[in-house]
Amino acid sequence: MRAILNRCRRLLWRTLFYRMVFGERGSRGEDLPHTRVAPSTCIDGESGLRLADHVFIGQFNFIDATAGLDIEEGVQITNFVSIVTHSSHRSIRLLGRAYVEHTGPPPGYLKAPIRIGAYSFVGPHSLIESGANIGKGCVICAYSQVRGEVPDFAIMQGQPAVQIGDVRHRDAELLGRYPWMAAHYEAWAGELPDKHQ
């Protein structure tokens, strides 16, 4: 009961005051001192969320982690993003009023975990659908609808999103201008971008 009261107090505080602060606690109780989650973001199924450090989650997002959601280090989720690990819209459409009384798994019901790879960026008003596996270093452009596999370093755009580029082209240019950053980039990316990709 005390845990529920404390959670309600935290939610009330977050709802009333939209001030974002550093420092969250992971699902296993570990400190995430560089992670920020906006108070207006709604997280459903919080126990299914695996959150790394150095993550930024902006204002007014809906995050459904009921089927499992892995947000890796350095991910940036902007504002008005929906991440859904389950969807019943097809089942409800097929079963109509019988959906409520149906026993067993409903036909057409989607439920699958989502992974967002390290140092990826999710633009505003995007939708990440159940089963999406977004690689590291990706850019999901604003208003994109992501489903399925997204390769590392992909730039994705559209509904449904398709790959329109590779972030390593621009990364190579920037590292050419700021070579001292190469060690930092290589630490998470595992490699430096090829200038001729």
Side-chain angles (χ1 to χ4, degrees):
M1 185 64 159
R2 181 176 217 166
I4 292 171
L5 279 172
N6 286 337
R7 176 148 172 75
C8 288
R9 284 185 190 120
R10 281 196 318 268
L11 287 173
L12 178 62
W13 176 260
R14 284 183 163 190
T15 302
L16 294 175
F17 304 99
Y18 289 103
R19 185 169 165 254
M20 190 176 301
V21 296
F22 282 91
E24 290 287 330
R25 194 166 288 283
S27 60
R28 294 174 208 86
E30 71 277 19
D31 285 330
L32 305 171
H34 302 101
T35 290
R36 294 162 289 160
V37 178
S40 61
T41 284
C42 176
I43 301 174
D44 187 26
E46 195 171 347
S47 62
L49 176 62
R50 289 176 304 284
L51 187 63
D53 204 7
H54 299 273
V55 169
F56 171 85
I57 301 175
Q59 302 284 357
F60 304 106
N61 298 298
F62 175 73
I63 297 176
D64 161 30
T66 56
L69 173 59
D70 193 1
I71 300 176
E72 295 182 358
E73 181 177 281
V75 167
Q76 294 177 323
I77 297 171
T78 57
N79 304 308
F80 301 100
V81 172
S82 292
I83 300 173
V84 291
T85 62
H86 78 282
S87 179
S88 59
H89 74 280
R90 292 190 300 182
S91 301
I92 292 171
R93 191 170 59 250
L94 292 171
L95 291 167
R97 292 180 183 158
Y99 178 81
V100 178
E101 299 161 1
H102 183 77
T103 57
Y109 187 85
L110 301 173
K111 183 176 180 178
I114 292 174
R115 175 186 159 262
I116 304 175
Y119 293 92
S120 288
F121 173 88
V122 181
H125 300 280
S126 292
L127 168 62
I128 311 296
E129 294 185 1
S130 65
N133 184 12
I134 299 171
K136 65 184 175 184
C138 292
V139 170
I140 308 302
C141 296
Y143 295 95
S144 293
Q145 180 181 4
V146 177
R147 39 173 83 136
E149 294 289 322
V150 175
D152 292 346
F153 305 105
I155 301 171
M156 304 293 290
Q157 182 180 45
Q159 304 88 27
V162 295
Q163 186 172 355
I164 61 165
D166 189 310
V167 299
R168 291 174 289 191
H169 297 296
R170 183 72 174 130
D171 292 349
E173 291 175 24
L174 287 168
L175 289 168
R177 285 193 299 189
Y178 306 102
W180 61 270
M181 294 192 309
H184 300 293
Y185 186 93
E186 196 171 18
W188 72 266
E191 60 185 279
L192 291 175
D194 183 2
K195 294 177 188 173
H196 306 291
Q197 280 183 327

